[in-house]
Amino acid sequence: MRRKYLRFLAPLALVAVVATACSNDTDSTAASDNPAASAGTGSEAGSTNGGASTLRAGLTGLLEEHVYLAGITTGTALGGGDYKVPAATLDANSVALSQAIGSVYGDAAGEQFLALWRKHIGFFVDYTTGVATNDKAKQAKARADLDGYRADFGAFLASANPNLTKQAVADELKPHVESLFAAIDAQGAKDPAAFDKLREAAGHMPMTANVLAGAIAKQFPDKFSGSTDGGASTLRAGLTGLLSEHVYLAGITTGTALDGGDYKVPAATLDANSVALSQAIGSVYGDAAGEQFLALWRKHIGFFVDFTTGIATNDQGMQDKARADLDGYRADFGAFLASANPNLTKQAVADELKPHVESLFTAIEAQGAKDPAAFDKLREAAGHMPMTANVLAGAIATQFPDKFAA
C-alpha cells in the first residue's frame, strides 16, 4: 500500500501550488547532502527554516534519491548496461547520508552507517543478479540477508538514539525492502509497471525520513529547533519529495527515449506526478486553478520532450526552440504563481526556475552523448530542488500561517 504523502494531503495541496515553481533552485545540493549539519540555526516552531524542518526535508530528499538511484542502477543492470556507472552516483548518495549521520553522532558513527548502508545495497545487487539469471536461491538468500540487515540497522540506530528501538526501525525498513524487490522483479520481467512500482518504492521514504528526523530532533532539541510534524515542516518536506520525484522521473523518461526505448511508459508515471500536483492545487485554489496548473506543467514537460527529440535527431533548431519555449514558460508560470501567492513575484519565480531548466538540459545532453557523467548530472539537477522547495514553502506558509503553524 502506498503511503506517499497521503497523511499530509491537506498541506501538500498548497505544496503543489508551489511545487510547480519547484522546478528550480539555486544551491540545494549542499543542504540535501548534509541536512543535519545545516540545521543548527533553527528558528521558531512552525518556520520552514527551523532545524527540525531542515533535517526532515534533507532526509526526505536523500532517502527518496536513494530509491530512484537504486532503481536506475538495477534497471541499467537488467537492461544489459554497465550498472557500475549509475552505482557510483548511488554511492555518492550513500556517502552524503553517512555524512549527515556523522554530523550528528560523530565520524565513527558515520563510517559505521556507511558500511551498513553499502552492505544493504550489495544485497539488492545480489537480488538483481538472481533476477537476471533466474536464480531463485540467490534471490531467496538476498531476501534473507536483507531481513538480517534490517535487524542490524535497527540495532545500530537504537544504540545511537534512545527514541528508536531495534524492532521499530526494522519494521520501518520492511516496506522499503519489499517495495524495491517488487520494482526489481518488474524490471526483470520487462513489465511496464516497473516505473510505477519504483515510484511506489520511493513513496515510502518520506515517512521513514519523518520517523528518523523526529527521533533525532527529540534527542537534540537545542540543535534541531521547531517541530518535524508541524505544518511548515510537512510542507517543506513534501515539496522537497515531490520536486525531487519530478526531476528523477523526467530524467528516467528522457533517458529511456534516448536509449531507444518506449518513453511513453515512464512518461505516464511522470504524468501521474503532474496530475497529483494539479489535484492538490485544485483542492486549495479551486478546480480552475488546478486545471490551469496541469496545463502549464504538462506544457513545460512537453518542451523537454522536444529538446530530447532535438538531441536524438541532432536537430539544433529544435533544441534552440525548446530552450526559447522554456524561457517563455518560466515567465508564464511565474505569472501564475504570483497571481495565487502575494509573497511571490513573476520575475522571482521565473529566476528560480532557471537552474532547474538549465541543469536538466545538461543532464539530457549528457544522456544523448552517452556520457557516463549523465547520472551525476541528473543528481545535480535534482539537487536544485530542496532549496527551491524551501523558498516556495516559506512563501506559502506566510500566506497561510494558520494552516502551516507548528
Side-chain angles (χ1 to χ4, degrees), residues 76-140:
T76 300
L78 290 166
D82 183 2
Y83 77 88
K84 293 179 182 178
V85 181
T89 305
L90 172 60
D91 194 62
N93 167 268
S94 299
V95 171
L97 277 164
S98 73
Q99 290 171 340
I101 295 297
S103 71
V104 177
Y105 296 108
D107 291 342
E111 292 172 4
Q112 187 178 357
F113 170 91
L114 183 58
L116 278 169
W117 199 251
R118 282 173 169 165
K119 192 175 184 180
H120 107 282
I121 290 174
F123 294 145
F124 278 120
V125 171
D126 293 341
Y127 185 81
T128 304
T129 301
V131 170
T133 59
N134 197 29
D135 187 334
K136 299 299 183 184
K138 195 173 191 69
Q139 294 174 45

Side-chain angles (χ1 to χ4, degrees), residues 135-154:
D135 187 334
K136 299 299 183 184
K138 195 173 191 69
Q139 294 174 45
K141 185 177 185 302
R143 285 183 177 274
D145 287 339
L146 276 159
D147 273 341
Y149 160 78
R150 291 191 298 109
D152 292 344
F153 195 72

Side-chain angles (χ1 to χ4, degrees), residues 250-311:
I252 289 171
T253 301
T254 57
T256 300
L258 290 166
D259 283 341
D262 183 3
Y263 77 89
K264 293 179 182 177
V265 181
T269 304
L270 172 60
D271 193 61
N273 171 269
S274 302
V275 171
L277 287 172
S278 72
Q279 290 172 338
I281 291 180
S283 71
V284 175
Y285 292 105
D287 291 343
E291 291 171 6
Q292 186 180 355
F293 166 87
L294 185 58
L296 279 169
W297 196 245
R298 283 174 167 165
K299 192 173 184 181
H300 107 283
I301 291 173
F303 294 146
F304 278 119
V305 171
D306 292 342
F307 184 79
T308 303
T309 302
I311 292 290

Side-chain angles (χ1 to χ4, degrees), residues 65 68-69 72-73 76 82-90 248 251 255 259 363 366-367 370-382:
E65 176 174 84
Y68 276 111
L69 289 175
I72 289 172
T73 301
T76 300
D82 183 2
Y83 77 88
K84 293 179 182 178
V85 181
T89 305
L90 172 60
Y248 276 109
D259 283 341
Q367 289 174 332
K370 309 302 180 188
D371 184 349
F375 302 103
D376 286 341
K377 298 290 185 187
L378 182 60
R379 184 171 184 247
E380 288 173 16

Side-chain angles (χ1 to χ4, degrees), residues 5-378:
Y5 311 126
L6 294 181
R7 178 180 167 191
F8 311 122
L9 184 58
L12 282 183
L14 288 180
V15 165
V17 171
V18 214
T20 295
C22 283
S23 292
N24 124 58
D25 179 318
T26 46
D27 184 26
S28 71
T29 302
S32 172
D33 277 3
N34 201 343
S38 62
T41 60
S43 56
E44 74 281 359
S47 169
T48 60
N49 289 317
S53 175
T54 298
L55 179 65
R56 179 180 173 186
L59 288 175
T60 297
L62 284 172
L63 290 173
E64 190 164 296
E65 176 174 84
H66 160 69
V67 172
Y68 276 111
L69 289 175
I72 289 172
T73 301
T74 58
T76 300
L78 290 166
D82 183 2
Y83 77 88
K84 293 179 182 178
V85 181
T89 305
L90 172 60
D91 194 62
N93 167 268
S94 299
V95 171
L97 277 164
S98 73
Q99 290 171 340
I101 295 297
S103 71
V104 177
Y105 296 108
D107 291 342
E111 292 172 4
Q112 187 178 357
F113 170 91
L114 183 58
L116 278 169
W117 199 251
R118 282 173 169 165
K119 192 175 184 180
H120 107 282
I121 290 174
F123 294 145
F124 278 120
V125 171
D126 293 341
Y127 185 81
T128 304
T129 301
V131 170
T133 59
N134 197 29
D135 187 334
K136 299 299 183 184
K138 195 173 191 69
Q139 294 174 45
K141 185 177 185 302
R143 285 183 177 274
D145 287 339
L146 276 159
D147 273 341
Y149 160 78
R150 291 191 298 109
D152 292 344
F153 195 72
F156 167 70
L157 287 185
S159 70
N161 192 313
N163 302 302
L164 295 169
T165 67
K166 174 182 175 179
Q167 191 59 50
V169 173
D171 290 344
E172 181 63 29
L173 284 172
K174 191 168 186 179
H176 164 55
V177 171
E178 293 298 328
S179 61
L180 197 46
F181 279 152
I184 295 170
D185 287 339
Q187 290 174 332
K190 310 301 181 189
D191 184 349
F195 302 103
D196 286 342
K197 289 189 181 296
L198 182 60
R199 185 174 180 238
E200 288 173 14
H204 292 291
M205 293 297 93
M207 289 294 292
T208 300
N210 190 30
V211 169
L212 296 177
I216 294 172
K218 186 176 180 181
Q219 185 179 17
F220 301 104
D222 292 339
K223 182 168 186 175
F224 300 103
S225 64
S227 167
T228 57
D229 285 325
S233 292
T234 297
L235 177 67
R236 180 178 174 184
L239 273 175
T240 299
L242 286 171
L243 292 176
S244 295
E245 176 173 86
H246 163 68
V247 171
Y248 276 109
L249 289 175
I252 289 171
T253 301
T254 57
T256 300
L258 290 166
D259 283 341
D262 183 3
Y263 77 89
K264 293 179 182 177
V265 181
T269 304
L270 172 60
D271 193 61
N273 171 269
S274 302
V275 171
L277 287 172
S278 72
Q279 290 172 338
I281 291 180
S283 71
V284 175
Y285 292 105
D287 291 343
E291 291 171 6
Q292 186 180 355
F293 166 87
L294 185 58
L296 279 169
W297 196 245
R298 283 174 167 165
K299 192 173 184 181
H300 107 283
I301 291 173
F303 294 146
F304 278 119
V305 171
D306 292 342
F307 184 79
T308 303
T309 302
I311 292 290
T313 59
N314 198 29
D315 186 333
Q316 190 62 51
M318 179 173 273
Q319 295 173 47
D320 291 342
K321 183 176 187 304
R323 286 182 180 276
D325 287 339
L326 276 160
D327 273 342
Y329 160 79
R330 290 191 296 109
D332 292 343
F333 198 72
F336 171 70
L337 285 186
S339 69
N341 191 315
N343 303 299
L344 296 169
T345 67
K346 173 182 175 179
Q347 190 60 50
V349 172
D351 290 345
E352 184 66 21
L353 283 171
K354 191 168 186 179
H356 164 56
V357 171
E358 292 300 327
S359 62
L360 198 46
F361 279 151
T362 299
I364 294 169
E365 288 172 338
Q367 289 174 332
K370 309 302 180 188
D371 184 349
F375 302 103
D376 286 341
K377 298 290 185 187
L378 182 60

